[in-house]
Structure formats: C-alpha cells, structure tokens
Amino acid sequence: MLRRLLSPKWCGALLLAALFAVAAYHLGWWQYHRHEAKVERNARLDAHYAADPVPLTSALTPAGYEAGSNWTRVTVTGEYVAGPVFARGRPNEGAVGLEALWALRPDDGGPDVLVDRGWVAPSGAGASVLPDVAPAPGGTVTVTGWVRPSEASRDKPPAPGQIANLSVPDAAMALRTPLLPGYVLLQRETGPDGASPPRPQALAPPDRSLGPHQAYAYQWWLFMAAGFVLVGLGVRREERLANPERYPPKAKKVRIWDEEDE
C-alpha cells in the first residue's frame, strides 16, 4: 500500500489533501476570531451599557474616537441647533426605516455632537418624501445615551434631508455644522423641569448573540483530516481491487432465519 500511495496519482491527491487542510486551518481561525470579537463586544457592553453615565468629553473628543469608547454611556447638556436629517435603510425590530439625527450644541462651548434620537417608519409615499417625526425640544436639554462610532460614507448623492448611511461627516455636511467624530445614540432626554419630551421610537438593544462562529471553527479544524482519510480509503480500495487473492471477500454471514429457510 505504501508503494501505491507514493504513485504520482496518490501523491497528487495527498497534495490536494494538504492544501485543503491548510485552508481549513485558516478558515477555522477566521471563524474563531469572529467569535472572539463578539465575546469582546459583549464584555464591552457588560462594562459600559448600564454603567453610570460619564461626561461626553471623557469619551468623545475632537481629536478622534477611541474604539474602547464604544457603547460608553454618556451625558451632555445643550441645545439642539440643527436637524433633523435622516439616515436611510436602518433596521429595527424586524422593519427597515430611518433614524432621525440632530446636532446638539453643548453648554460648555464644545463642538456640536450628532444625536440619534431614534427610528421612524418610512412615509410610504416614496424615498424622496421625508417621514413625520416628533420635533426636538427647544431650549436646554440633558441628553443621556451611548457613544457610537461613525459609519463609513457610501459616497452617494444624498436626497434632500437624507444620508445613505450613518456617517458623521455626511451628517455634518447635511446639517451644515462641524460635528464630533462619533455620535450619541439617545437613551433619554430631559428638559429643565425633568420632563421627557416626545421622541422617535427607541432602537432595540444591541445584539448580544455569539452566533455559530465557534462551532464553525471546530468543524473546519475537524475537516483538516478529511482529505487524508479519503486518500487512505481510496488507496486501500484500489489495493484490494488490484490484489483480490490477498484480500478475499469476506464470507457472507448466515443469519439464523436463513438457516431455518433451508
């Protein structure tokens, strides 16, 4: 069998099995890294999502957005100065609609910050028709929410009052005001009297599922041996067919009821 295994035919099959094993190894790690990223996301949510809010300036500054600030719960007081502009194609609770965005000017004189006040359903009269939305409160308001990173721009010409993705630079252009590099996803807002004004529908909590990535990783790693097993079975079968005298067929087992029939 070893001589047969070293033939050009089966050496080629071994090479293919080795290439498949290498690919399965890397695919397994790719899936496992995706699993690790979701574990890290959940750990960040556990640390930040329900924590006491911190001042906005401690998590988001004009210098940039830190990845570790994602989902940090923050608070900021100021006035809404521009909006709304709508980010299109946003899912929420199984439906697709728009998210309503405003620019808030903090009382401390810092740069304006983009606030995502929630989700609204499409108008139903076409993509160019803006939906009805509860207006932002006038005067001073205290916003509590979570810091989120800007999404990449899709570089699409926006319809009036709309942007194609939740890109802070695109929103800054549409609202005609400079904005901090991340945005705040609204949890609640209160006026000086402590009352909460009407707002668009709140977005669903972030997804915490880990998905099947860990199981897929283990499956790919198990598949690493599959090619070699198939080669071994193929060589064994070919050897048996080529040498029937050395590998006689097994005698058929006679069952009790077969003997009784005789």
Side-chain angles (χ1 to χ4, degrees):
M1 287 184 64
L2 181 59
R3 188 182 304 110
R4 189 174 299 278
L5 180 63
L6 295 178
S7 67
K9 170 185 173 180
W10 290 110
C11 282
L14 281 173
L15 178 60
L16 290 176
L19 291 175
F20 177 79
V22 171
Y25 173 81
H26 289 290
L27 286 169
W29 275 113
W30 172 63
Q31 288 288 353
Y32 195 77
H33 289 324
R34 295 185 69 185
H35 167 74
E36 289 181 320
K38 291 191 174 184
V39 170
E40 183 180 350
R41 175 205 63 193
N42 285 357
R44 185 180 298 115
L45 286 172
D46 291 339
H48 293 172
Y49 193 76
D52 292 335
V54 298
L56 174 67
T57 52
S58 67
L60 186 60
T61 68
Y65 173 86
E66 296 292 337
S69 298
N70 195 10
W71 291 111
T72 297
R73 195 161 172 250
V74 297
T75 184
V76 58
T77 299
E79 294 185 5
Y80 288 110
V81 294
V85 66
F86 295 91
R88 297 165 53 183
R90 312 299 293 187
N92 189 44
E93 300 288 1
V96 177
L98 305 94
E99 291 179 32
L101 316 171
W102 274 261
L104 180 81
R105 182 157 298 161
D107 283 349
D108 61 10
D112 295 350
V113 60
L114 187 67
V115 178
D116 182 344
R117 297 188 64 237
W119 185 91
V120 291
S123 66
S128 61
V129 179
L130 299 179
D132 293 328
V133 63
T140 301
V141 63
T142 297
V143 168
T144 301
W146 298 278
V147 170
R148 300 286 286 134
S150 171
E151 297 177 4
S153 174
R154 292 186 180 176
D155 296 324
K156 292 184 178 179
Q162 302 179 49
I163 55 178
N165 214 8
L166 216 163
S167 161
V168 173
D170 288 355
M173 187 178 299
L175 295 170
R176 299 182 180 179
T177 182
L179 296 168
L180 289 169
Y183 69 95
V184 175
L185 175 61
L186 180 67
Q187 181 187 24
R188 66 171 181 267
E189 56 191 357
T190 55
D193 59 354
S196 295
R199 56 164 294 184
Q201 180 181 339
L203 293 170
D207 177 30
R208 296 179 57 86
S209 65
L210 294 177
H213 304 296
Q214 187 178 36
Y216 286 165
Y218 293 150
Q219 287 176 8
W220 278 117
W221 289 331
L222 288 174
F223 287 162
M224 289 173 61
F228 298 107
V229 171
L230 290 175
V231 169
L233 292 174
V235 171
R236 180 174 179 269
R237 180 175 182 277
E238 188 175 281
E239 178 71 13
R240 285 178 173 272
L241 291 175
N243 299 283
E245 69 284 354
R246 293 175 56 189
Y247 302 98
K250 292 183 179 180
K252 183 178 178 182
K253 186 176 180 180
V254 179
R255 296 167 295 183
I256 296 176
W257 47 87
D258 291 335
E259 294 178 345
E260 292 176 350
D261 290 341
E262 294 176 359

